[in-house]
Amino acid sequence: MLDVGRHPNIELMAYCEVEGLEGEAGDFRVSVRKKARYVDEAKCTGCGACTEKCPTVVPDAFNEGLGERRAIYSWFAQGIPSTHTIDPDHCRQLNGKKCGICAKTCQAEAINFEQKDTLVELNVGAVVVATGYEVFDPSRIPEYQYQQIPNVVTAIEFERLLSASGPTGGHLDRPSDLAVEAEIEALEKKAKKGQKMLDKFEQKYETPSAQFYEAFLKGAYDGDEDRKKWAQKYEAQLEITRPLEALKKKAEGFDAAKKLAFIQCVGSRDFRFYPFCSGYCCMHSIKEAIIAHEHEPQTTSTIFGMDIRAVGKGFEEYKIRGGNQSGVRYVRGRVAEIVEGENHNPVVVYEDTREQKVKSEAFDMVILATACAPNKGVAELASVLSIEINRFGFFQTDPARPMDCTRPGIFVCGCAHGPMDIPESVAQASGAASRAAQVLIGSELRKAS
């Protein structure tokens, strides 16, 4: 990505949307909306000082809501261009409230709250569509209780938990434990604030709050309004500290998730949702199970699937290595449901098709290998580009020319074409680039003649 950003013949237009396309192959006119960042890209150095001072905290979409970010943020580390963006939906200043802390903090003077969207017109010879994909929402399968049982997560959420740059720094902390730790942190802030009020009373009367409160309950200070307020503040503090101590004691027993279950084909190979195989899910689950074992050698993983489709070069050997060296167990069977057991442990109820028996087993965490779904903006973009989509919601291509869309000069690659893994996406991207180059060369030859 750094090489792309530095290439003299490549112009990166991040945070933009295509709004119109006219013309024909070799001579397209593209209308692009460049969204307002409220940050001057030319001035911003990406130092992050503004993010550190921003008082508004919101869920971090890049970390699948498992972490937090500020209203002024960078989408992810090492992003190109290395600049920040202000979220207009959450920024206090842009919503009519007094703030502007980021502008006061920024030494480069890059913050511009008056910045507006701009329209840019481009003249291009060919277009390559690489819009990626969406993750299937497993809450559409109620028997898996996603978002109901905290320790049932998607494969993408698990990927972020495994990442060293993720919300847990690569530690496999369970979401239920993270929720308790977040509650402890919130209660500690309240307790600290309440203790400051109590300290003032203790200094004034030179008596510990606990000792005073014991005397107050015995009626020692009847009619003293100031001490009555002290007693009320102390009672409010007890309502905070008692559950806080209970949660801290509970948190002492927290440990990393060591018994994992992966459920394959969640939304894919399912006529209720997507009848196709998503292609990469089997190997992705095996990879995550192996990495989890590398993080903690005591970790074991069970992969539930109708079958494991390890069809690429070296994939079958990788699968076998996972079973032999990384504590991975493969169970042939369809999971019927997930219920919540003790200590928020998900209990998987499934049919073992080899033994023809219904079984149940508890795990520390369950990971749902969700289907590769078409990007939400596919239909709108297809209308803008005047190209077709297929019955699955991906861009329609010519069977004989799999990179060619239904309009000459427009090509597609990666998961915009259909479900595929990274190596196949990279190979197809090279093919799409070659097809685009053919259009450009042909256009130049026609002009020359």
Side-chain angles (χ1 to χ4, degrees):
M1 180 60 79
L2 286 173
D3 289 340
V4 171
R6 294 166 179 161
H7 200 288
N9 294 337
I10 297 176
E11 180 185 0
L12 285 175
M13 297 183 67
Y15 206 49
C16 297
E17 285 186 3
V18 174
E19 291 197 344
L21 180 73
E22 296 178 350
E24 59 185 12
D27 186 24
F28 285 121
R29 293 174 298 283
V30 188
S31 298
V32 179
R33 177 173 295 276
K34 188 173 184 180
K35 297 181 182 180
R37 289 182 180 272
Y38 306 102
V39 176
D40 189 331
E41 293 179 29
K43 293 181 179 179
C44 180
T45 62
C47 68
C50 54
T51 299
E52 293 175 3
K53 297 295 183 180
C54 178
T56 305
V57 179
V58 298
D60 186 357
F62 182 74
N63 280 319
E64 299 295 316
L66 295 170
E68 296 177 334
R69 65 163 172 82
R70 304 290 173 164
I72 183 167
Y73 67 104
S74 176
W75 182 243
F76 61 93
Q78 291 87 43
I80 302 296
S82 180
T83 186
H84 285 65
T85 302
I86 295 179
D87 183 346
D89 294 330
H90 296 98
C91 174
R92 298 183 185 185
Q93 185 77 18
L94 293 175
N95 283 280
K97 299 178 182 178
K98 290 185 178 180
C99 185
I101 293 175
C102 55
K104 297 171 185 175
T105 304
C106 181
Q107 295 183 7
E109 299 181 349
I111 308 300
N112 180 9
F113 293 113
E114 302 302 320
Q115 197 177 75
K116 305 293 183 183
D117 290 1
T118 56
L119 286 175
V120 180
E121 298 291 328
L122 302 176
N123 184 256
V124 300
V127 176
V128 177
V129 181
T131 53
Y133 67 100
E134 293 284 341
V135 175
F136 172 78
D137 180 7
S139 62
R140 295 169 65 187
I141 306 178
E143 53 266 34
Y144 287 167
Q145 297 204 61
Y146 174 69
Q147 294 183 337
Q148 304 301 316
I149 301 175
N151 296 320
V152 175
V153 301
T154 66
I156 295 296
E157 290 171 344
F158 190 70
E159 185 84 21
R160 295 312 304 153
L161 291 173
L162 283 175
S163 174
S165 63
T168 61
H171 298 288
L172 271 184
D173 298 329
R174 305 197 311 163
S176 63
D177 297 346
L178 293 174
V180 170
E181 290 170 357
E183 189 175 356
I184 289 173
E185 185 178 353
L187 287 174
E188 284 179 335
K189 287 181 180 178
K190 287 183 179 180
K192 187 177 180 180
K193 186 177 180 181
Q195 188 59 48
K196 287 182 179 179
M197 296 295 295
L198 293 178
D199 288 344
K200 292 180 181 179
F201 284 106
E202 290 176 357
Q203 290 172 7
K204 181 178 180 180
Y205 294 104
E206 297 182 346
T207 306
S209 294
Q211 182 180 331
F212 150 75
Y213 188 65
E214 186 179 348
F216 178 84
L217 292 177
K218 294 177 181 179
Y221 304 104
D222 287 344
D224 188 329
E225 290 299 320
D226 194 41
R227 283 186 169 86
K228 185 179 179 181
K229 290 181 181 179
W230 186 4
Q232 290 172 347
K233 293 291 183 183
Y234 185 68
E235 287 168 353
Q237 186 73 349
L238 289 177
E239 290 180 3
I240 297 171
T241 55
R242 283 169 180 165
L244 176 59
E245 292 305 315
L247 289 174
K248 284 183 175 180
K249 188 174 181 181
K250 183 179 179 180
E252 290 175 359
F254 289 168
D255 197 2
K258 294 179 181 177
K259 188 177 182 183
L260 310 175
F262 292 82
I263 300 178
Q264 302 306 110
C265 304
V266 177
S268 57
R269 300 175 69 185
D270 188 330
F271 285 107
R272 296 174 297 173
F273 308 108
Y274 298 108
F276 53 77
C277 171
S278 292
Y280 59 76
C281 311
C282 290
M283 299 312 298
H284 185 234
S285 292
I286 295 170
K287 182 207 78 170
E288 287 187 325
I290 290 175
I291 292 175
H293 182 77
E294 290 173 351
H295 282 218
E296 174 53 66
Q298 295 179 355
T299 300
T300 60
S301 300
T302 302
I303 298 180
F304 295 91
M306 294 180 284
D307 47 49
I308 301 297
R309 295 187 167 183
V311 296
K313 182 180 179 181
F315 286 9
E316 181 66 19
E317 291 81 359
Y318 190 76
K319 168 197 163 187
I320 293 170
R321 180 161 70 87
N324 291 340
Q325 300 178 14
S326 300
V328 181
R329 174 170 62 111
Y330 302 100
V331 174
R332 188 178 186 276
R334 191 74 172 178
V335 172
E337 65 175 337
I338 305 172
V339 297
E340 190 168 21
E342 294 181 1
N343 195 29
H344 298 295
N345 284 335
V347 179
V348 175
V349 181
Y350 66 100
E351 178 191 4
D352 188 325
T353 56
R354 286 196 172 94
E355 296 184 16
Q356 296 185 352
K357 291 181 180 179
V358 175
K359 300 179 180 180
S360 63
E361 187 173 352
F363 294 89
D364 294 335
M365 194 184 299
V366 170
I367 299 94
L368 306 177
T370 46
C372 173
N375 200 301
K376 292 177 182 177
V378 162
E380 184 179 351
L381 182 60
S383 176
V384 169
L385 300 179
S386 298
I387 57 178
E388 297 176 12
I389 56 177
N390 61 26
R391 63 192 180 97
F392 301 123
F394 298 99
F395 291 101
Q396 181 67 50
T397 59
D398 185 337
R401 294 180 175 180
M403 270 69 77
D404 290 38
C405 290
T406 52
R407 182 176 180 180
I410 301 180
F411 310 99
V412 68
C413 66
C415 288
H417 175 276
M420 63 184 68
D421 62 6
I422 293 173
E424 190 177 356
S425 296
V426 171
Q428 200 176 65
S430 296
S434 297
R435 292 290 294 125
Q438 290 176 12
V439 171
L440 298 179
I441 292 170
S443 175
E444 291 299 321
L445 289 175
R446 285 193 295 273
K447 289 178 181 179
S449 61

